[in-house]
Amino acid sequence: MLDTERWTMINIVLFGPPGAGKGTQAQRMMEATGLPQVSTGDMLRAAVMAKTVVGLEAKKFMDAGALVPDEVIIDLIRERMKEDDAKEGVMFDGFPRTVPQAEALAEFVEVSIVLAIEVPDDRIVERICGRFSCGNCGAVYHDKFNPLPESGCECGSFSEKRRADDTEETVAARLQAYHEQTSPLAAFYREAGLFVSIDGDRDID
Ligand code: ADP
Ligand code: ZN
C-alpha cells in the first residue's frame, strides 16, 4: 500500500495510443498500489450499455473512433473523483486525452506522474484486432499475445467480450485522433516535468 504519510494523494496518468496496454497495466498496478483504475473508456461503455444521456451522446463518437467532446468527459471525471475510493488517488487510464481535458483536470486534481507507454503504430492494429476481455471479471486477453488458458479465466469464466470499436477501420480513426489530439499532451506534461516514457513494445510482464 501507499505511504500516505508522505503523500496525501497519488494520481497516476497512464498515457499512450489505443492498444498500448494501458488497461492491462492499470489492472496490474491496481494490485500493487491499491489505487483504483479510472478508465473513461470503461465509464463511457457502461453509459452506452445503460443508455444514459451521456451514453447516447457518446456512442456516435465512439463508433466512429473519434474523441467524445471534452465537456462530457470532464463532467464524468469531476463526478468520479468525488467518490470515496478516489481519496488516496487514482490511476487514470485513457484520460486526459486532450490539452483542454488536462487543463480542466489540473483545476481539481494534482497529477503526480504520467507514465507514457510507447508502441509503434504498426504494432497497434495487431494488438487491438484480437483482443477481448473476460465477460465476468474484465481481465484482458488477446488471441495471439495473451490467450485465454484452456482452464478458462482465473475467475473460472469462459465468456469472451469483444469491443464494438476494435475493428481495423475504427483503429485507423482512433490512431489519427491520438496523433492529432492526444499526442500534443506529451509536451504539456513534459514541460511540467511529469512525463516518463516506457517502451511498451515488449511482453506484458
Ligand atoms: P482505447 O484506448 O483502446 O482507444 P478507450 O476505452 O480508452 O480505448 O476509449 C474508447 C473510446 O472512448 C475512444 O475511442 C473515445 O471515443 C472514447 N473516449 C475514452 N476516453 C476518452 C477521453 N478522455 N476523451 C474523449 N474520448 C474518450
Ligand atoms: Zn475472468
Side-chain angles (χ1 to χ4, degrees):
M1 287 300 117
L2 297 168
D3 178 358
T4 46
E5 295 200 350
R6 257 189 79 213
W7 300 90
T8 48
M9 212 184 176
I10 296 186
N11 293 295
I12 299 170
V13 171
L14 289 167
F15 183 87
K22 300 184 296 290
T24 302
Q25 298 300 337
Q27 285 180 352
R28 294 180 170 216
M29 285 168 63
M30 199 155 53
E31 283 165 33
T33 63
L35 298 175
Q37 171 190 17
V38 172
S39 158
T40 40
D42 286 349
M43 292 163 77
L44 291 169
R45 278 184 289 279
V48 170
M49 290 274 283
K51 296 196 168 66
T52 63
V53 177
V54 166
L56 294 174
E57 160 80 359
K59 188 175 187 304
K60 49 183 189 277
F61 295 99
M62 297 170 79
D63 286 345
L67 294 186
V68 171
D70 288 336
E71 312 80 68
V72 174
I73 301 290
I74 292 162
D75 281 350
L76 272 181
I77 290 290
R78 193 179 282 114
E79 288 308 305
R80 178 67 184 85
M81 293 307 289
K82 289 178 185 162
E83 283 172 38
D84 261 1
D85 68 340
K87 292 227 152 55
E88 290 185 356
V90 303
M91 264 178 314
F92 292 111
D93 163 8
F95 172 87
R97 244 172 162 98
T98 64
V99 172
Q101 287 179 21
E103 286 168 347
L105 178 67
E107 285 171 20
F108 58 99
V109 164
E110 192 179 348
V111 170
S112 315
I113 192 167
V114 177
L115 303 176
I117 307 179
E118 316 272 3
V119 177
D121 279 10
D122 54 2
R123 307 280 289 158
I124 284 172
V125 177
E126 59 174 7
R127 283 221 193 160
I128 289 187
C129 304
R131 79 173 171 183
F132 59 93
S133 60
C134 169
N136 179 47
C137 74
V140 184
Y141 294 96
H142 190 285
D143 292 325
K144 199 156 108 200
F145 307 120
N146 184 23
L148 192 69
E150 256 166 53
S151 54
C153 181
E154 228 174 78
C155 76
S157 170
F158 283 89
S159 80
E160 297 180 8
K161 207 166 77 189
R162 290 180 195 258
R163 271 171 51 179
D165 62 346
D166 279 353
T167 61
E168 236 168 282
E169 308 82 72
T170 314
V171 171
R174 283 156 66 194
L175 269 175
Q176 192 183 351
Y178 173 75
H179 288 298
E180 288 174 5
Q181 295 167 273
T182 306
S183 62
L185 256 185
F188 178 95
Y189 282 125
R190 212 173 262 123
E191 277 160 30
L194 298 173
F195 195 85
V196 177
S197 181
I198 295 163
D199 177 8
D201 192 13
R202 43 187 176 158
D203 74 43
I204 296 167
D205 286 339

